[in-house]
Amino acid sequence: MVVVYKMKKRTKIIIACASLVTVVAAGLFGAGLYFYKVAVVPAPKSFLSKSQKIKPGSSLYPAHQWYQSVHKQRWHELSATRHLKLDANYIAADKPTNKTAVVAHGFMGNKDQMFQYAYMFHNLGYNVLLPDARGHGDSQGNYIGYGWPDRLDYVKWIKKVIARKGADSRIVVFGTSMGGATTMMVSGVKDVPKQVEAYIEDCGYTDVYSEISYQAKQLYNLPRFPLVGIVSAINKVKNGYTFKEASVLNQVKKNRRPMLFIHGAHDHFVPTRMVYPLYKADKGSKELLIVPGKGHARSYQNHPKLYTDTVKKFLERYLK
């Protein structure tokens, strides 16, 4: 009788433990699905600052006024995977040129929010192509790629520029935040056309896993383990890649073309410290600009002359 009692007690303990594990696992999976929606599903995000009206006197006002009135062509492309229809604005230079800047926007941004950079490149004499990444703006898609699937889309955009503007095209790829990460991811793609002569990235992250882990801690005071791994696994099932696989750092290590790295000195959304290992890992000719001031992706707004002059000198050096 004692043996039977002990076996029953042990069975109850095993069942209780199994039930607890099931409840915890279900809770973690539920939390993972919730944060997958926060991090990966395109939708308004409470942690992003709302766009403010550009007022006269703002450093962005001339660029904004120009962008509202300049003629824009609508270009379309199909994504490299999933057959999504992608949308872009193309702005021709005032004088015919074979130089084109392909501009990549940030997380939950769109092509129209990149008006100040379009203005800068236009004033430097470039044609400008401003795509909407998949899941953003007027492009199709139900997930945010953080630059990883987008890197292949941007290669297709680059090839479209060459097809339309000629084999003698000279192209610079530029991006801010997620677009900066996308730019660096493009630099490591094996078949990037030779017409891409330089890259300029502004405040991109080292890899998707590290950035989402950082944001989980900053925004929700949550540890990276196990939540970020769960969200990454869900993303693998739904979208075909893990966050660790989406490594900007590994892509930059493959680059041999000139790259200008820009980061704000006091960036607390993509921390400034991320730019240093990226700069170190790059194998091509490279330059680094740390711009004084606070805020994320605000370096142009904070110091437009310093920003433009640095970009101009970099391009004059490598796209002579």
Side-chain angles (χ1 to χ4, degrees):
M1 292 296 293
V2 174
V3 174
V4 172
Y5 173 76
K6 286 184 176 180
M7 289 180 65
K8 287 183 177 179
K9 186 176 181 180
R10 185 179 298 170
T11 301
K12 288 181 179 179
I13 292 172
I14 293 172
I15 292 172
C17 290
S19 298
L20 179 61
V21 170
T22 301
V23 170
V24 171
L28 288 172
F29 183 70
L33 284 175
Y34 172 79
F35 282 103
Y36 172 84
K37 291 180 180 179
V38 171
V40 182
V41 176
K45 308 297 181 184
S46 60
F47 53 84
L48 294 178
S49 58
K50 295 181 180 179
S51 57
Q52 298 179 345
K53 187 176 180 180
I54 310 298
K55 298 179 180 180
S58 164
S59 60
L60 300 181
Y61 187 75
H64 189 258
Q65 291 297 103
W66 167 81
Y67 187 78
Q68 297 304 306
S69 60
V70 72
H71 176 68
K72 309 172 192 68
Q73 298 176 24
R74 295 292 291 274
W75 285 20
H76 296 100
E77 183 58 90
L78 290 177
S79 61
T81 60
R82 300 199 173 185
H83 206 71
L84 302 170
K85 186 177 180 181
L86 305 177
D87 189 274
N89 281 342
Y90 175 82
I91 302 170
D94 286 337
K95 296 180 180 179
T97 180
N98 62 348
K99 296 187 296 185
T100 301
V102 179
V103 176
H105 64 75
F107 179 86
M108 288 313 302
N110 60 59
K111 57 185 178 292
D112 295 330
Q113 292 178 1
M114 301 299 282
F115 64 87
Q116 65 269 47
Y117 307 108
Y119 179 72
M120 176 184 70
F121 283 110
H122 183 79
N123 286 340
L124 293 175
Y126 283 70
N127 308 308
V128 185
L129 180 67
L130 303 118
D132 280 331
R134 55 176 75 187
H136 293 72
D138 296 312
S139 289
Q140 294 178 341
N142 60 1
Y143 69 103
I144 299 166
Y146 285 93
W148 188 244
D150 312 285
R151 77 196 193 285
L152 304 178
D153 298 340
Y154 275 83
V155 171
K156 292 193 72 175
W157 283 119
I158 289 163
K159 291 178 179 179
K160 182 173 284 289
V161 169
I162 297 166
R164 292 196 176 189
K165 309 308 294 184
D168 65 339
S169 291
R170 309 185 72 188
I171 297 171
V172 56
V173 182
F174 169 92
T176 62
S177 192
M178 185 182 81
T182 304
T183 296
M184 291 184 280
M185 287 178 175
V186 170
S187 77
V189 175
K190 188 175 182 180
D191 64 342
V192 174
K194 64 181 181 180
Q195 286 85 349
V196 175
E197 298 188 26
Y199 300 97
I200 302 174
E201 78 84 21
D202 182 349
C203 61
Y205 37 79
T206 51
D207 63 272
V208 178
Y209 186 87
S210 296
E211 177 60 15
I212 291 180
S213 298
Y214 174 81
Q215 292 302 330
K217 181 65 176 178
Q218 289 290 108
L219 298 173
Y220 304 100
N221 200 30
L222 293 170
R224 71 172 63 190
F225 179 83
L227 188 60
V228 178
I230 294 170
V231 178
S232 178
I234 294 170
N235 191 70
K236 174 69 173 179
V237 172
K238 286 180 172 287
N239 303 317
Y241 69 95
T242 67
F243 293 156
K244 286 189 176 181
E245 180 183 350
S247 172
V248 180
L249 196 61
N250 287 342
Q251 291 294 101
V252 165
K253 290 177 182 177
K254 304 173 190 176
N255 179 50
R256 298 295 186 276
R257 305 182 202 192
M259 187 176 298
L260 171 59
F261 296 81
I262 302 173
H263 219 106
H266 301 284
D267 189 337
H268 300 297
F269 194 80
V270 176
T272 306
R273 58 178 167 78
M274 284 191 171
V275 73
Y276 299 109
L278 290 165
Y279 177 77
K280 184 178 180 180
D282 185 80
K283 298 298 192 298
S285 301
K286 53 191 175 182
E287 296 179 17
L288 173 63
L289 173 66
I290 302 298
V291 180
K294 297 180 180 180
H296 175 63
R298 290 177 63 89
S299 292
Y300 178 93
Q301 185 173 347
N302 290 341
H303 294 278
K305 188 176 187 305
L306 170 64
Y307 198 105
T308 302
D309 287 349
T310 303
V311 169
K312 181 181 179 181
K313 289 176 182 177
F314 174 79
L315 294 176
E316 286 176 345
R317 184 173 294 114
Y318 295 109
L319 276 80
K320 297 177 182 178

